[in-house]
């Protein structure tokens, strides 16, 4: 089954657009685990168990594992997600971007070593830095398009002089991903939630692509406006929440609190879609 | 000692602008090791031993380790380079690019876990995706600027409509890195060797920054024209060669052949600088 099939199935089965991002920070773990990097797997597995029926995807962020020499725990977590939530696709958030021969190595890491269903990538080095990932049939690849961090404007919001209509750089990325780069229908886009009007712009260029939208919750995006903008065109929607779910409580009840937070966010998103 | 100090010292001591890139591919190892990912450390350590007096830097590419679950071998290799070549700075080629809180994790990975002296980064997400690396005093950070792969044109060669003179995107990155982003003098740029006239353009915007230039050797760049262009302005120069050194021979003499190849490339570069 392709990533897109899994995503559509999980969205329907769990009635959810919510992705839980797994960004484990030992310093924020509940007291019994706090500061203990050897508990990264235990913490994340508890979050997965508590939310597997509430999400359309999980998104482990690899930096949080690599900083703690916890690649083995990430491998174990991938296997755990497969076992307890085989219907939920896993997006490995790695934002890789390198020339073809090196990209082949990163693709091998993401899809063979970790068995991810999709990966996040940077488009800065162009099409041939993307193609090695597309060689893996049915796997998904989300390109950074418009990010909601303060520096997102520095390059992405520049208008391009020589293209018809002088689109912004992020609009150019959206157009490439919807069209010439999307040779096998595997591409999606990462678009921040803090600027719904820019999600609308992205949808003009990329109506049918899956959008991965971080920034609802801790990063302050407006869930209703975000869903409304992202629904234009009909492409699949993934709304990521990480810290607001993971650290809903710093007590022993962290998993139950994560479930409650995920339920609330899922419902907010479903209500927004129905509005 | 800062990365820049180490780089200047190694350049002078070894009379070299050459960086040996460590991109280990087990399928290309000599017969006795071929296909054996557990020999990545042994292979790379032999290359390091054979070239430590010929280079101004080493550049391990992390994807080649991650694809083979060989992070432990990379850690061991970093320690080995420190032991046998304490004067040679190490650039971890990772091309990371993410929001601040995640970038902190990647910076921790590069500088604390692996103890690198510098790292490569993508500028696509803007200034706040760079700053966590600059918090590590004296460490270097090379931003992707103009890459020589076929897709390098797709975004980097776009001209920006709203900036004075309508610079190309890569020229804008060079200007930011030379000026407003370079708060503590830690930034450098990655510029491909296949277009010397574009290295000249980068030097107009960034005369004093260190340039990391891959593409001489296997990627076909012209060494003489590259050095001539990169010398404009006087900033430090690092010319990377990976495969042409690592795989100079696929026999048991691979380390001696690597030394011979590195000597020849170093001499070509020194001659170009003297011309």
């Amino acid at each position: 089954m392709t990533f897109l099939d899994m995503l559509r199935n999980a969205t329907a089965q769990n009635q959810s657009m919510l992705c839980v991002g797994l960004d484990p920070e030992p310093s924020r773990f509940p007291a019994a685990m706090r500061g203990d990097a050897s508990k990264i797997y235990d913490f994340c597995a508890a979050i997965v168990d508590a939310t597997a029926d509430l999400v359309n995807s999980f998104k482990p962020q690899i930096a949080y594992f690599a900083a703690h020499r916890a690649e083995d725990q990430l491998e174990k977590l991938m296997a755990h997600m497969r076992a307890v939530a085989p219907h939920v696709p896993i997006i490995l958030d790695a934002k890789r971007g390198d020339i073809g021969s090196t990209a082949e190595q990163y693709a091998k890491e993401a899809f063979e070593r970790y068995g991810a269903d999709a990966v996040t990538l940077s488009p800065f080095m162009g099409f041939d830095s993307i193609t090695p990932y597309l060689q893996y049939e049915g796997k998904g690849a989300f390109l950074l398009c418009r990010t909601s961090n303060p520096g997102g404007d520095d390059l992405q919001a520049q208008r391009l002089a020589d293209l018809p209509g002088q689109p912004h750089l992020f609009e150019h990325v959206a157009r490439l991903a919807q069209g010439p780069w999307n040779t096998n229908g595997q591409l999606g886009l990462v678009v921040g939630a803090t600027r719904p009007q820019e999600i609308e712009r992205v949808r003009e260029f990329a109506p049918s692509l899956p959008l991965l939208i971080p920034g609802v919750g801790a990063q302050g995006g407006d869930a209703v406006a975000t869903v409304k903008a992202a629904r234009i065109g009909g492409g699949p929607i993934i709304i990521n929440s990480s810290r607001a779910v993971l650290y809903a409580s710093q007590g022993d009840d962290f998993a139950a609190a994560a479930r409650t937070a995920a339920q609330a966010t899922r419902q907010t998103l479903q209500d927004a879609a129905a509005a």
Side-chain angles (χ1 to χ4, degrees), chain A:
Chain A
M1 196 183 298
T2 69
F3 165 72
L4 262 184
D5 291 334
M6 290 183 76
L7 178 63
R8 290 203 181 95
N9 288 355
T11 300
Q13 183 176 331
N14 288 348
Q15 287 289 300
S16 180
M17 289 177 278
L18 177 65
C19 172
V20 168
L22 298 164
D23 304 4
E25 292 179 75
S27 64
R28 301 186 69 176
F29 286 177
M33 304 175 166
R34 193 161 302 153
D36 184 351
S38 74
K39 300 296 187 193
I40 286 176
Y41 167 79
D42 292 340
F43 177 82
C44 291
I47 298 287
V48 166
D49 294 348
T51 60
D53 62 330
L54 302 176
V55 300
N56 72 354
S57 49
F58 286 115
K59 182 176 73 64
Q61 163 45 260
I62 198 167
Y64 289 82
F65 296 83
H68 295 287
R69 311 180 73 233
E71 284 86 5
D72 55 340
Q73 294 186 69
L74 177 54
E75 290 176 354
K76 197 173 161 192
L77 179 63
M78 298 297 288
H80 181 76
M81 288 189 278
R82 286 287 176 241
V84 303
H87 62 298
V88 175
I90 305 169
I91 303 164
L92 185 66
D93 195 358
K95 301 187 179 68
R96 304 309 195 203
D98 214 311
I99 58 169
S101 53
T102 304
E104 286 173 14
Q105 304 295 318
Y106 281 128
K108 184 173 175 174
E109 179 195 25
F111 297 139
E112 297 185 36
R113 176 181 184 182
Y114 291 115
D117 301 299
V119 69
T120 58
L121 301 176
S122 169
F124 188 75
M125 291 182 69
F127 183 51
D128 65 304
S129 71
I130 306 299
T131 48
Y133 302 89
L134 306 184
Q135 303 303 314
Y136 286 81
E137 201 179 325
K139 299 291 189 182
F142 288 85
L143 307 187
L144 292 174
C145 176
R146 184 64 173 120
T147 63
S148 55
N149 59 309
D153 283 351
D154 293 339
L155 305 188
Q156 299 157 23
Q158 294 291 340
R159 292 194 310 118
L160 305 184
D162 298 332
L163 297 178
Q166 299 202 333
H168 294 97
L169 178 61
F170 75 89
E171 294 167 334
H172 183 50
V173 171
R175 191 188 63 77
L176 291 168
Q178 175 75 48
W181 286 10
N182 202 15
T183 48
N184 287 307
Q186 291 162 274
L187 292 181
L189 295 169
V190 179
V191 185
T194 51
R195 299 184 183 92
Q197 74 283 9
E198 293 189 338
I199 298 178
E200 287 184 30
R201 290 291 293 162
V202 168
R203 273 299 186 214
E204 288 179 34
F205 289 85
S208 70
L209 294 190
L211 297 187
L212 170 58
I213 305 177
V216 168
Q219 291 173 55
D222 174 333
V224 175
T226 297
V227 170
K228 195 177 154 199
R231 291 183 74 208
I232 300 167
I237 304 172
I238 300 168
I239 311 271
N240 182 77
S241 184
S242 298
R243 284 165 282 177
V245 172
L246 301 186
Y247 310 114
S249 161
Q250 295 206 338
D252 289 344
D253 63 340
F254 74 97
R259 179 171 180 80
T260 302
Q263 278 175 318
T265 305
R266 177 182 72 155
Q267 194 58 49
T268 300
L269 299 174
Q270 294 302 104
D271 291 348

